[in-house]
Amino acid sequence: MMRTDLPFQLDYPRAWRTYLGGARLDELHGVQRGMGRDGHFPEEWIMSVVAARNSGREDFPEEGLSHLAQTPRITLKSVLESDPAAYLGSTHAAAHGAHPGVLVKLIDSSERLTIQVHPDRETAQRLLGSSFGKTECWHILDGRMVEGEAPCVYLGFREGVTREYWQELFKKQEIPGMLDCLHRYEVHPGETILIEGGVPHAIGAGCFLAEIQEPTDYTIRVERTTPSGFAVADEMCHQGLGFNQMFECFHYQGFSRDAARKKWFLPRRPFPGEQTGDSAQLVGYEDTPFFAMRELRTDGELKVKNERFSGLYVLEGAGTLECKGGILQLNAPGQYFVPAGTSDFVLRAAPAGQLRVLQCFGPRD
Ligand SMILES: O=P(O)(O)OC[C@H]1O[C@](O)(CO)[C@@H](O)[C@@H]1O
């Protein structure tokens, strides 16, 4: 099918969500700045073998799935299933079969997302029969002012919030009260934030970010109407758990503002053992065993050691990727899957340009 020693290009699946956004994604794909449209497709999914879960959109079973750029009827899922060990590595395949165990998204919000939580792995297993939870991590790429408000995120309970109080606020749908229970931080390009399963959160309006996460679409939403007035179906609130059991998905542990920032805002750092210039580790296995993400930057050439499969997202520039299997042209914006069988490679930026690439990894072996 596809070569297992040379990366290949994927398409750009957009997924329907309850919140509005997406103009920035249109711009990334060439629509003139300011002419992109905000709507219910605010996310682009990357190296995805996960279909979006949206009540009422059962007629779109492939929504969110990645396909081959050159042969759009073939899903990445079917390619990986054809030879899991060759594409994903034998250790990974022994643990996870043909599943990469990770999902990546670009998210562009023009309104605040509903206040929500995702289950941790243990809770997902216990309540939903899923072997993955949904710990996630956001890397802020850019932002825009929306109605005079700078981009921000809401994250983690403040000290003293109990399940009883939280459930009471939910019953009354007291949204300002719920937002008040969370820490609010303005965010800036370059920041990276880890959101562990069980931690309540909401992405604010005007955030453009890359998200790496465990590969499920389980979202417990505690707002029954989105900020722009969209009514969220019951099932989309509780994911089949019901309006009482869904509260088991939250971790009722509060932190001070400083402690929460220190715990979940991750430092940008060099990755071990390589001359990487401006490149950086954004989230690593020392932060979570579930995934890792690097930013590769070069205006010349960058040698990259390849020890496992990954997904590349070319955010800026053009150039080439050269490995033993051959040479691949890279262009922004571009999604590429790097099979485990790819040798160490060299990224080369086009003359007088800079290549900026996110490299996304699945779980630690
Ligand atoms: O509830 P909504 O608006 O559909 O948003 C769900 C989105 O929230 C996120 O979990 C980010 O917090 C995304 O992974 C997910 O697609």
Side-chain angles (χ1 to χ4, degrees):
M1 203 184 231
M2 297 305 291
R3 300 258 306 261
T4 57
D5 60 348
L6 186 66
F8 51 87
Q9 194 171 359
L10 302 173
D11 66 348
Y12 315 102
R14 294 277 284 260
W16 188 96
R17 301 282 83 176
T18 65
Y19 70 95
L20 299 174
R24 190 69 182 72
L25 291 172
D26 291 348
E27 284 163 11
L28 186 70
H29 288 279
V31 175
Q32 209 188 332
R33 195 153 201 138
M35 301 297 280
R37 290 225 338 257
D38 288 316
H40 277 290
F41 288 87
E43 299 186 358
E44 177 180 329
W45 291 16
I46 299 165
M47 65 163 170
S48 168
V49 302
V50 178
R53 283 173 60 93
N54 289 310
S55 305
R57 291 187 65 78
E58 290 73 16
D59 288 348
F60 304 93
E62 293 213 344
E63 194 162 283
L65 291 182
S66 291
H67 295 78
L68 301 183
Q70 311 305 337
T71 326
R73 73 196 151 72
I74 299 183
T75 59
L76 173 63
K77 186 167 183 290
S78 64
V79 173
L80 302 184
E81 282 166 356
S82 71
D83 194 343
Y87 289 107
L88 300 171
S90 44
T91 315
H92 179 96
H96 303 286
H99 204 306
V102 70
L103 175 61
V104 187
K105 302 170 177 175
L106 293 184
I107 293 183
D108 172 47
S109 59
S110 65
E111 65 170 329
R112 178 179 59 71
L113 275 68
T114 53
I115 302 164
Q116 54 188 251
V117 77
H118 309 296
D120 62 27
R121 201 169 267 201
E122 185 276 316
T123 312
Q125 175 72 61
R126 184 166 56 84
L127 299 182
L128 296 154
S130 163
S131 48
F132 297 109
K134 189 170 169 335
T135 284
E136 59 193 38
C137 179
W138 306 327
H139 178 62
I140 310 292
L141 297 171
D142 202 355
R144 50 176 154 148
M145 298 289 286
V146 177
E147 291 169 9
E149 202 184 318
C152 73
V153 301
Y154 294 84
L155 180 64
F157 282 130
R158 294 158 84 139
E159 288 158 304
V161 180
T162 60
R163 174 170 173 169
E164 293 64 40
Y165 183 59
W166 188 238
Q167 249 178 291
E168 202 47 44
L169 291 173
F170 168 73
K171 276 193 201 122
K172 294 188 197 142
Q173 280 298 286
E174 211 180 301
I175 311 304
M178 284 200 253
L179 288 172
D180 245 14
C181 291
L182 309 181
H183 295 291
R184 178 183 182 283
Y185 302 96
E186 280 196 10
V187 289
H188 308 97
E191 288 174 335
T192 305
I193 305 152
L194 182 65
I195 300 88
E196 292 169 295
V199 175
H201 59 272
I203 294 174
C207 292
F208 181 44
L209 58 89
E211 175 183 79
I212 184 163
Q213 56 157 99
E214 284 182 87
T216 71
D217 202 15
Y218 290 123
T219 301
I220 305 293
R221 301 166 174 94
V222 289
E223 285 179 73
R224 314 220 30 195
T225 309
T226 64
S228 60
F230 180 85
V232 183
D234 292 1
E235 172 89 17
M236 295 284 281
C237 287
H238 58 59
Q239 299 292 322
L241 298 177
F243 286 118
N244 186 37
Q245 197 177 41
M246 73 181 208
F247 284 93
E248 285 181 35
C249 294
F250 291 86
H251 291 178
Y252 298 94
Q253 187 185 8
F255 292 94
S256 72
R257 183 179 170 74
D258 285 351
R261 177 180 267 281
K262 199 152 169 246
K263 190 170 167 60
W264 292 314
F265 277 65
L266 306 178
R268 191 181 165 92
R269 66 214 105 129
F271 41 89
E274 296 176 44
Q275 285 296 321
T276 59
D278 288 341
S279 301
Q281 186 79 41
L282 303 175
V283 55
Y285 296 129
E286 60 278 25
D287 304 306
T288 170
F290 300 143
F291 45 70
M293 179 161 63
R294 295 169 173 179
E295 183 181 33
L296 307 175
R297 277 183 192 248
T298 182
D299 53 9
E301 92 176 22
L302 181 70
K303 294 198 173 87
V304 182
K305 248 189 129 29
N306 201 51
E307 288 162 343
R308 50 179 64 235
F309 78 89
S310 63
L312 300 180
Y313 198 100
V314 182
L315 286 168
E316 275 175 38
T320 54
L321 181 155
E322 198 174 323
C323 61
K324 283 199 183 132
I327 299 183
L328 181 76
Q329 178 68 39
L330 302 177
N331 291 302
Q335 290 197 27
Y336 303 85
F337 182 82
V338 183
T342 305
S343 66
D344 293 350
F345 56 84
V346 179
L347 288 183
R348 233 174 241 115
Q354 150 138 271
L355 256 183
R356 184 174 167 218
V357 180
L358 291 177
Q359 188 177 22
C360 306
F361 300 93
R364 181 168 63 195
D365 291 331

